[in-house]
Amino acid sequence: MRDLHLAWTFCFATVIAILCLTADSAVGQAIEQAPLRTPDGQPDLQGIWTFSTITPLERPSALEGRPVLSPEEAAAFEEAENRRLNRDLVDPKVGGAGYPPESEGGVVAYNEFWYDRGNQLTEDRRTSLIVDPPDGKIPPLTAEAERREEARRAYQSEHPADSWLDINPQVRCLMANNGGPPMVPGAYNNNVQILQNPEYVVIVNEMIHNARIVRLDGRPHLPQGIRQWAGASRGYWEGETLVVESSDFRPERNFRGSSTNLRLVERFTRVDADRLLYEFTAEDPTTWTRPWTAVVPMTTAENPLFEFACHEGNYAMSGILGGARAEERKAAETGEN
């Protein structure tokens, strides 16, 4: 009887242990599946995220009509694209892979080690980050925008460096496309840190070390005539998604030909512990024939955010402007235009 009692005791303890383990596992799964929240109950978007991907913003002509590739096609595309973009494979004498030779200003001296453009398509193997229009292309420019672009190019051709104001904002280390808004993957520094509290969300981009403050208190946009490099951003929660509306951009922003009428709507959605979905819609009726939307997946970054100490354009400004003046003197001496 004593042995039977011990056997029943062991079996009962085993059943209890199994039930406890099962309960712990179920609780653990529930915790993993529950949305991450801040103390005030909002979805927690905080963290350091990377949005590197080899997926192009616009669908290549060779992939027209192919919004998604098969796993085999995606692997072949990634291999070919990584080889095409690899700066170590560029012949400095003849260029290659779409890059000019060094004698024509190519930066082949930046070898592949310094690039972090990503080497894979998005997880769903899309052929463009643009999801609307369905063809994966930026909509055509309006007639007004075409005239504006033509005038801008003509001015730049005739006045490339009259003053520092004529120099591209990216050369001056003021703006970068992947620094946003909107954030479009580039060759390197595709990292962003998000911080938040009940009244603000701060978006810190590694590229050009820009910190964008998004106010959540419902205040209006800036008065007419006040414009900023990154525009003015106002945000609100729409269910599990943070919606950020930005406008009041400086004319030099010129995102893909945009004007000061550019209006951006960005959406940030926490998918799980390691994924954040970023979507933006660009609208400017004086630039494009219709709005367009891109979806950029983000994942948890493995490294901290580093300082992007961009000062080359500033330190070199005297040389840029001095060189332009020297060319003008030479042209005056030879009677050239």
Side-chain angles (χ1 to χ4, degrees):
M1 290 293 293
R2 181 174 179 276
D3 292 341
L4 182 61
H5 175 74
L6 289 174
W8 274 106
T9 300
F10 176 77
C11 290
F12 181 74
T14 301
V15 170
I16 294 297
I18 291 173
L19 290 175
C20 289
L21 288 173
T22 303
D24 287 344
S25 176
V27 170
Q29 291 178 1
I31 291 175
E32 289 179 359
Q33 295 173 0
L36 300 170
R37 302 281 178 184
T38 58
D40 62 313
Q42 298 293 0
D44 191 347
L45 307 178
Q46 299 180 102
I48 299 177
W49 307 94
T50 178
F51 49 97
S52 294
T53 178
I54 206 168
T55 302
L57 176 65
E58 297 187 88
R59 184 169 302 138
S61 299
L63 296 176
E64 183 177 353
R66 302 291 307 283
V68 178
L69 298 179
S70 69
E72 296 75 18
E73 291 170 330
F77 176 86
E78 290 166 359
E79 182 180 1
E81 194 68 359
N82 279 298
R83 183 174 181 82
R84 184 184 73 84
L85 295 172
N86 191 322
R87 289 296 183 94
D88 291 345
L89 302 180
V90 177
D91 188 333
K93 296 180 181 179
V94 298
Y99 301 110
E102 283 185 331
S103 60
E104 295 182 10
V107 286
V108 183
Y110 276 22
N111 60 35
E112 191 63 18
F113 172 83
W114 300 104
Y115 288 84
D116 184 28
R117 62 180 70 85
N119 55 19
Q120 290 183 311
L121 292 168
T122 55
E123 188 176 13
D124 51 4
R125 304 187 303 279
R126 283 183 286 130
T127 56
S128 67
L129 295 176
I130 293 177
V131 296
D132 185 53
D135 65 0
K137 300 280 190 180
I138 296 176
L141 293 176
T142 63
E144 176 184 347
E146 289 180 348
R147 289 192 296 269
R148 193 172 62 235
E149 280 296 288
E150 184 178 351
R152 183 182 63 83
R153 287 192 295 266
Y155 178 86
Q156 288 181 337
S157 176
E158 297 177 5
H159 306 275
D162 285 2
S163 80
W164 65 91
L165 298 176
D166 296 318
I167 307 303
N168 186 292
Q170 185 153 325
V171 174
R172 295 168 62 194
C173 302
L174 295 173
M175 294 294 297
N177 281 339
N178 64 337
M183 292 178 280
V184 178
Y188 38 64
N189 296 96
N190 298 301
N191 302 308
V192 59
Q193 182 173 10
I194 298 178
L195 306 98
Q196 67 185 100
N197 65 25
E199 298 180 350
Y200 300 94
V201 170
V202 181
I203 302 171
V204 184
N205 284 93
E206 188 172 61
M207 191 73 160
I208 312 293
H209 48 259
N210 179 57
R212 180 160 51 116
I213 299 175
V214 181
R215 292 175 168 83
L216 307 176
D217 55 6
R219 70 180 64 188
H221 279 265
L222 297 176
Q224 188 174 4
I226 298 179
R227 303 191 179 278
Q228 300 178 333
W229 289 107
S233 297
R234 304 289 184 262
Y236 56 91
W237 292 100
E238 195 174 82
E240 299 297 307
T241 298
L242 172 67
V243 182
V244 178
E245 298 182 358
S246 299
S247 59
D248 306 306
F249 292 93
R250 290 175 61 97
E252 297 93 335
R253 180 66 182 97
N254 189 32
F255 172 66
R256 302 278 169 167
S258 65
S259 71
T260 54
N261 296 314
L262 174 64
R263 178 177 176 269
L264 284 174
V265 178
E266 300 168 283
R267 294 176 176 272
F268 299 80
T269 306
R270 187 73 177 259
V271 178
D272 54 36
D274 297 315
R275 292 185 298 166
L276 182 72
L277 194 64
Y278 172 64
E279 173 186 326
F280 71 84
T281 298
E283 181 178 359
D284 183 351
T286 63
T287 298
W288 303 295
T289 54
R290 57 161 292 182
W292 54 281
T293 300
V295 175
V296 183
M298 297 185 178
T299 56
T300 303
E302 298 180 356
N303 298 309
L305 213 64
F306 291 99
E307 179 189 8
F308 187 82
C310 182
H311 297 293
E312 294 88 343
N314 300 321
Y315 288 147
M317 193 58 65
S318 59
I320 294 173
L321 298 179
R325 303 293 81 78
E327 289 184 350
E328 290 170 354
R329 287 192 297 270
K330 180 180 178 181
E333 293 171 358
T334 59
E336 296 178 0
N337 183 6

